[in-house]
Amino acid sequence: MKSRFGETDLYVSRLCQGTAFRHLPRTADDPQVQRVLQHCLEKGINFFDSSNAYGWGGSEMALGKAIASKRQQVTICTKVAASHPPKAAEHGTKPAHFTRHFLFEQAEESLKRLGTDYIDLYLLHQPDESTPIDDIVDSMDTLVQSGKIRCWGVSNHSAKQVNQFVTVGKKSTKAPIAGIEDYYNIAGESVDPEGCSRTSQLEREMFPIIRQSKLGFIAFSPLDAGNLSQKKQIKPTSPLTELVQVLDQTAQNLHVTRAELCVAWVLTHTEVTTVLSGAESPEHVDQNLAGTQLFLPQEVIKTLNSASKAYRKKTKQKLVNR
């Protein structure tokens, strides 16, 4: 099953395989990485996510190798970080600005590593906090017109910033922002610099923009960066304990795994186009894929939503009491 990404002509699988591997090498020659990516292709997953910052090119080369003979069958999303790539592995990075020269230069490098002559979806990995919105839109439009990218969007941006991109797009004939990529899951341990839940903020501020502007939405980290993994040891005093108990009881009742349930919950939100996971084994790919095909009855959704809200409330209270 494939879904249209926003108002573009991209039709993507409900599961997007990421290449920001946490435990596997971000290199083209690692056999386990290739095994995972090839398994995704065999299972009909056509959407893959990467970034120039993942292994500073290593993940893009790994993806390029995996899809070398199947380019027309897949949709590639990659991102450009607001950093200059380090000159050597042991060197740190320096902040970069999203100037036209920088964006074109980094797009060209990504194209080489991916072994393709176009990128389907090109995202700004995070804000650079300095380049004017109009300049970025103009640069991205030029990239689209050049044929180097088909569509563009942003990742890890605020609702205010996304709305600015949408507004500029409406006032011009330039290629509009097509969608976003952001952190979203049933737990949402991650908070912003002010201590606010990123997931709650996304629902409250970003979801209306996604609906009104018909943007595509790639929701990453369905297992909350591994916090919801079956292998994760949770302290009895953690607010996560009760949420996991609800998840496991529900999963048991439905005869599915916790991972399947977490993926399915994310997709109950109509704003979500696809779930981005970082599976590091064929078995985990299969679980995530099964989650995209799992139908959740309304009573189950209500139970999970209540557990999610209770968890977020306890997490917020814990932060207030620090």
Side-chain angles (χ1 to χ4, degrees):
M1 179 182 175
K2 293 181 176 61
S3 296
R4 186 183 182 187
F5 189 80
E7 293 192 298
T8 73
D9 59 357
L10 304 179
Y11 284 82
V12 300
S13 49
R14 296 284 269 168
L15 181 66
C16 176
Q17 174 64 37
T19 58
F21 300 114
R22 288 184 293 132
H23 303 107
L24 296 180
R26 296 169 178 175
T27 61
D29 297 326
D30 183 74
Q32 182 63 8
V33 167
Q34 291 302 315
R35 190 154 45 243
V36 169
L37 296 177
Q38 290 300 330
H39 186 73
C40 289
L41 291 166
E42 292 167 3
K43 289 293 183 176
I45 295 169
N46 82 325
F47 199 21
F48 295 85
D49 175 87
S50 195
S51 170
N52 71 333
Y54 298 159
W56 289 109
S59 287
E60 288 182 325
M61 287 189 285
L63 179 56
K65 180 178 179 178
I67 59 127
S69 62
K70 304 177 178 67
R71 179 63 185 97
Q72 300 304 314
Q73 302 170 29
V74 302
T75 300
I76 297 175
C77 170
T78 196
K79 303 181 287 291
V80 54
S83 302
H84 289 285
K87 294 181 179 180
E90 65 273 14
H91 294 171
T93 61
K94 294 182 179 180
H97 303 297
F98 290 136
T99 63
R100 179 174 301 195
H101 173 75
F102 179 78
L103 291 173
F104 265 75
E105 178 183 60
Q106 295 307 311
E108 287 283 7
E109 292 301 316
S110 288
L111 287 168
K112 291 176 185 176
R113 290 188 291 264
L114 290 163
T116 183
D117 55 5
Y118 68 95
I119 296 166
D120 296 291
L121 180 62
Y122 197 46
L123 308 180
L124 305 180
H125 206 151
Q126 67 276 108
D128 74 352
E129 306 296 357
S130 63
T131 308
I133 297 293
D134 294 79
D135 289 356
I136 290 177
V137 172
D138 187 60
S139 295
M140 290 303 216
D141 175 69
T142 305
L143 276 170
V144 171
Q145 300 309 321
S146 72
K148 297 181 188 299
I149 69 174
R150 294 174 65 188
C151 309
W152 69 275
V154 299
S155 175
N156 299 308
H157 281 59
S158 69
K160 180 180 179 181
Q161 291 166 328
V162 171
N163 197 47
Q164 288 175 325
F165 281 120
V166 169
T167 301
V168 170
K170 288 180 178 178
K171 294 179 180 178
S172 72
T173 58
K174 300 184 186 300
I177 180 173
I180 69 167
E181 180 179 309
D182 216 323
Y183 165 85
Y184 190 61
N185 55 68
I186 195 170
E189 184 175 80
S190 179
V191 296
D192 67 13
E194 284 71 44
C196 297
S197 165
R198 287 180 62 187
T199 51
S200 296
Q201 193 173 53
L202 191 82
E203 291 172 344
R204 183 175 62 253
E205 299 177 10
M206 193 76 82
F207 274 14
I209 297 173
I210 293 172
R211 291 193 297 267
Q212 292 164 12
S213 303
K214 298 180 181 178
L215 300 177
F217 176 30
I218 305 167
F220 70 78
S221 204
L223 295 184
D224 202 7
N227 288 315
L228 294 175
S229 169
Q230 293 281 174
K231 295 181 180 180
K232 180 76 172 183
Q233 294 295 320
I234 302 172
K235 295 180 180 179
T237 56
S238 170
L240 200 58
T241 303
E242 292 183 20
L243 174 58
V244 167
Q245 289 175 345
V246 173
L247 283 169
D248 286 346
Q249 183 59 61
T250 304
Q252 183 179 343
N253 294 343
L254 296 175
H255 306 290
V256 298
T257 65
R258 190 194 298 174
E260 290 173 59
L261 190 60
C262 288
V263 169
W265 180 86
V266 173
L267 288 173
T268 61
H269 299 82
T270 57
E271 295 82 2
V272 178
T273 308
T274 183
V275 175
L276 168 58
S277 70
E280 299 188 348
S281 71
E283 294 75 21
H284 288 162
V285 169
D286 289 344
Q287 286 187 21
N288 292 331
L289 188 57
T292 68
Q293 300 162 354
L294 176 62
F295 170 77
L296 298 181
Q298 282 302 313
E299 59 268 24
V300 169
I301 295 174
K302 184 177 180 180
T303 296
L304 295 178
N305 287 348
S306 296
S308 178
K309 290 178 182 178
Y311 167 76
R312 294 182 197 179
K313 184 176 181 179
K314 288 184 178 181
T315 302
K316 183 177 181 180
Q317 189 60 47
K318 186 177 180 180
L319 288 168
V320 170
N321 294 334
R322 281 183 179 175

